[in-house]
């Protein structure tokens, strides 16, 4: 069984998949900024990045609620 500290650490740190997702989104936005064109391809890429960020945000909210339910201090 996991201790409270281990559970808190697991919920409050990004896993490798999340880190990779953030790097991918960041790279995509940077590439669109460098490209600087207003076109369908860049629009689709930014729309996909926004969708990924919204999913990421929702997951973070769920994790914060779980931490709060466990009476952990959320920084």
């Amino acid at each position: 069984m996991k201790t409270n500290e281990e559970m808190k650490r697991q919920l409050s740190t990004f896993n490798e998949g999340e880190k990779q997702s953030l790097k991918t989104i960041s790279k995509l936005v940077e590439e669109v900024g460098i490209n600087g064109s207003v076109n369908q391809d860049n629009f689709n890429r930014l729309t996909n990045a926004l969708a990924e960020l919204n999913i990421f945000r929702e997951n973070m909210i769920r994790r914060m609620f779980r931490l709060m339910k466990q009476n952990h201090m959320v920084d």
Side-chain angles (χ1 to χ4, degrees):
M1 182 150 201
K2 294 181 181 178
T3 66
N4 277 348
E5 192 60 37
E6 289 172 330
M7 288 172 41
K8 181 180 178 184
R9 197 175 319 120
Q10 181 181 2
L11 286 173
S12 63
T13 57
F14 294 141
N15 61 39
E16 290 305 313
E18 292 168 329
K19 288 178 186 178
Q20 187 60 38
S21 179
L22 284 174
K23 287 178 186 177
T24 302
I25 292 167
S26 175
K27 183 179 173 184
L28 188 140
V29 171
E30 186 177 339
E31 288 172 358
V32 170
I34 290 170
N35 180 293
S37 297
V38 176
N39 57 34
Q40 186 69 36
D41 182 51
N42 283 342
F43 176 79
N44 289 338
R45 294 173 82 192
L46 288 176
T47 300
N48 291 338
L50 181 58
E52 288 288 325
L53 280 174
N54 280 328
I55 292 168
F56 193 82
R57 180 180 167 268
E58 291 296 322
N59 288 337
M60 285 187 68
I61 289 170
R62 284 190 202 102
R63 287 166 87 174
M64 288 178 66
F65 281 139
R66 280 189 278 169
L67 284 169
M68 285 188 266
K69 285 181 182 179
Q70 295 174 8
N71 295 323
H72 291 300
M73 182 72 84
V74 178
D75 298 328

